[in-house]
């Protein structure tokens, strides 16, 4: 993972992840957040769908 600099204030951003689940779907988002101004930049998103027979994992970058 690379260092990301906030486009607004030029400080180094924090890399954080956030998970959210609703029903059979679980979404995990990885993003950079600026500790100074709160700007968020989405890095990648992982979606896990749990069906009856299979689990689908989708990675979006
Ligand atoms: Zn900032």
């Amino acid at each position: 993972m690379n260092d990301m600099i906030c486009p607004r204030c030029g400080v180094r951003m924090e890399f954080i992840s956030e998970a959210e689940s609703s029903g059979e779907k679980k979404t995990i988002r990885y993003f950079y957040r600026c500790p100074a101004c709160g700007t968020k930049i989405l890095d990648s998103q992982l979606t896990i769908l749990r069906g009856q027979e299979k689990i689908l994992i989708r990675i979006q970058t």
Side-chain angles (χ1 to χ4, degrees):
M1 110 184 145
N2 303 315
D3 281 354
M4 182 71 89
I5 302 299
C6 177
R8 284 173 66 180
C9 43
V11 298
R12 199 161 67 87
M13 301 177 86
E14 300 168 330
F15 190 72
I16 45 178
S17 63
E18 193 179 77
E20 178 188 300
S21 55
S22 58
E24 294 175 338
K25 185 176 160 187
K26 184 169 185 176
T27 306
I28 303 165
R29 288 186 198 92
Y30 296 94
F31 53 89
Y32 292 94
R33 190 181 64 113
C34 174
C37 71
T39 295
K40 285 182 182 177
I41 296 173
L42 187 67
D43 181 66
S44 57
Q45 185 172 307
L46 187 79
T47 306
I48 302 167
L49 291 168
R50 201 185 298 258
Q52 287 189 327
E53 293 166 359
K54 60 184 177 184
I55 294 172
L56 179 72
I57 297 173
R58 196 186 301 149
I59 301 171
Q60 202 176 299
T61 50

